[in-house]
Amino acid sequence: MRPEQKKPDQGKKAARRRLSAKHREWLSGYLFVLPDAIGLLIFLGLPMVLSLVLAVFEVNGFGGYRYVGMANFVRMAKDPLFWSAVRVTAVYAVLLVPLLYVCGLGLALLVQKTNRFNAIMRAMFFAPHMVSLVVVAVVWQFMVVDKIGVINKLTPLLGIAGISFLGDPQFALVTVVFVSLWFLMGFYMLIFLGGLQDIPKEYYEAATIDGAGPFHCFWHVTLPLLKPTSFFVLMVSMVAAVAGAQAFDIIYVMTKGGPANSTSVLIVYIYQQAFSFGAFGYAAAMSSVLVIVLMLVTAIFFAMTKGGRFTYD
Amino acid sequence: MTEVRSSSYPSSSQVTIARILWMLVTAILALMILFPLLWMVSIAFKTPAESFSANLFPERPTLENFKYVLTGVPFLRYMANSFFVSASVTVIALFFHTMAGYALARLRFPGREIIFLAIFSTFLVSLPVIIVPLFVIVRAMGMLNTYAGLIVPAIFNAFGIFLLRQYYLSLPREIEEAAIVDGASYWRIYWSIILPLSRPIMSALAILFFLANWNAFLWPLTVASRADLWVVQVGIANFKSQYSASWNYMMAASTIVAIPTLVLFIIFQRQIMDSLKTSGLK
């Protein structure tokens, strides 16, 4: 870390005579940004570009690259497992995102008022988020395990029994969505709490004076004023669901994509193609599609938030 | 919902039935949400015979499971690896990100907006999406199965830079003016003025970075196949495939892995929740 520490100083001393104050500021700016810029370039930018490049190669074993043109994309279009993975990813996202929104907001409203009791409750709601996804997956897997899992001992009380939560393709994806929800909703509760705090109290007072009940207040004051937070939550949770930020760990540990590929989201399928079958080119082709989709989403995100939320000085 | 939104605040003596009901519902919900974690700890203290029973409190609590997991499996080694990797990433990332955040927020130089846009463009790209090309790059750099391979790629993320930049934008201009008049270098301003001022956000970020890396699974799984480089998360995933029939061992191991982060959470609860609450892009 020493060299970075010295550079701006050296640059300044050597250049004090020759460089104007303006140029000194320029030089310092570049040097300060340099370490992160290089790192991000190598470990984030380059991979994004490389996924496009790798996509037109076939990689055999360790090292041999053969140019195959669009073959990987053609294979993708014809691969029923790829389309199955796209469908599973879509179902995962479509189930999870609205649930996260409703549960996150619901929990936030429940403990919105600032007092000691609510502070403890918030911490308890958030606690699952502090445990690693691997442990979460392990614990839940044992909770829902066939016949002897504690959930299967409780379900007869609800009039249902003998569900194979992870063994039955019909239930496996729903179970994975549920575990993801359990892990994530405390985090989104916090984001919503932040948003709720920003709503001035006067609006509620005015609405109450006008005779609005709690439901009216929620519908006509809270929801409209929560728009920026809602937008953030929906966007981020949608991107996370599609990009598999949390899904991967849970699915990899709980089901490995099974049974019958019913939980094989895109990112798990990509990982298996690359690291189980060594099909790096094919995996990269699929990744590149995801990268492009995410870049587009980020661009929209940036354009839409620039107005009110990000301010340049 | 009446309670939360009512504009008149009832004093603590005015405990209404509605309020008690409200608290009761909240408390029951909280216990339901916590149940899986309580269940994990409960089984960790149960004997193999009892681990199939549905009672939350073990009849004859035992420490045997922990003893077995800690002595039979190199979990201490995995924890040491996790600690070393997480701590290194946190320190280096904070150093680089404060520098970049400071320059992007407070120094004027051509291309600053472009650089920020470029950094922001990686904001939503998560690791799983680029895992294949990233692996190829790290392999080409000869960092497979090394601590460097575990640490270096984990340092760089747009989130930290973004938050710090936002924080520095909010500081008043006058802070550096005197120093600039005195002819202090920008390094000097960063080191002696900006860094001390960023202590609160730095400690929040330090906790977040440490936790994220302690809990990281996918990258360590991919980059280090050698067992002596395994971090706890990889260790427990492998432990699971070996011992999937022995719940008591599994839950003891899970408890050991989860405890450090939960303890950290209990201690730094307020900072963690506050820093996340305000990270909703403000």
Side-chain angles (χ1 to χ4, degrees), chain B residues 17 36 127 140 158 161 185 212 225 249 262 281:
Chain B
I17 292 176
L127 173 69
I161 304 171
S185 71
S225 50
Y249 291 156
L262 285 174
L281 289 193

Side-chain angles (χ1 to χ4, degrees), chain A residues 43, chain B residues 74 76-89 92 138 142-155 213 219-220 223-232:
Chain A
F43 297 109
Chain B
L76 291 174
R77 164 90 200 200
Y78 303 155
M79 288 176 102
N81 284 339
S82 279
F83 184 82
F84 175 65
V85 170
S86 307
S88 311
V89 173
I92 302 171
V138 170
M143 296 202 299
L144 283 194
N145 279 315
T146 63
Y147 282 106
L150 284 165
I151 294 167
V152 178
I155 294 169
N213 284 286
W219 180 244
V223 78
S225 50
R226 250 175 48 201
D228 59 334
L229 285 173
W230 282 356
V231 297
V232 272

Side-chain angles (χ1 to χ4, degrees), chain B residues 94-95 98 164 168 194-196 198-207:
Chain B
L94 271 183
F95 182 59
T98 45
L164 283 161
Y168 293 142
I194 297 294
L195 271 194
S198 9
R199 228 170 259 155
I201 191 169
M202 274 172 72
S203 53
L205 279 178
I207 299 166

Side-chain angles (χ1 to χ4, degrees), chain B residues 152-172:
Chain B
V152 178
I155 294 169
F156 304 100
N157 71 74
F159 172 74
I161 304 171
F162 180 78
L163 273 195
L164 283 161
R165 175 180 167 277
Q166 293 296 108
Y167 181 80
Y168 293 142
L169 280 178
S170 71
L171 298 176

Side-chain angles (χ1 to χ4, degrees), chain A residues 148-161:
Chain A
I148 45 176
V150 68
I151 299 293
N152 274 303
K153 286 188 169 147
L154 296 174
T155 44
L157 304 176
L158 302 167
I160 38 170

Side-chain angles (χ1 to χ4, degrees), chain A residues 10-30:
Chain A
Q10 285 174 341
K12 193 210 96 190
K13 266 176 209 152
R16 176 169 265 170
R17 277 287 125 108
R18 283 177 290 117
L19 291 180
S20 66
K22 190 172 85 180
H23 288 108
R24 240 191 296 145
E25 187 167 351
W26 289 13
L27 185 65
S28 308
Y30 293 130

Side-chain angles (χ1 to χ4, degrees), chain A residues 4 9-10 17 27 34 66 70 79 89 96 106 123 137 154 157 171 183 194 205 215 227 234 243 253 267 280 294:
Chain A
E4 277 83 8
D9 256 324
Q10 285 174 341
R17 277 287 125 108
L27 185 65
L34 201 62
R66 192 168 64 89
M70 288 289 112
D79 181 357
T89 307
L96 181 61
L154 296 174
L157 304 176
F171 294 112
F183 175 79
E205 280 157 20
F215 183 76
K227 237 187 202 157
L234 290 174
V253 175
I267 210 71
F280 277 79
L294 289 175

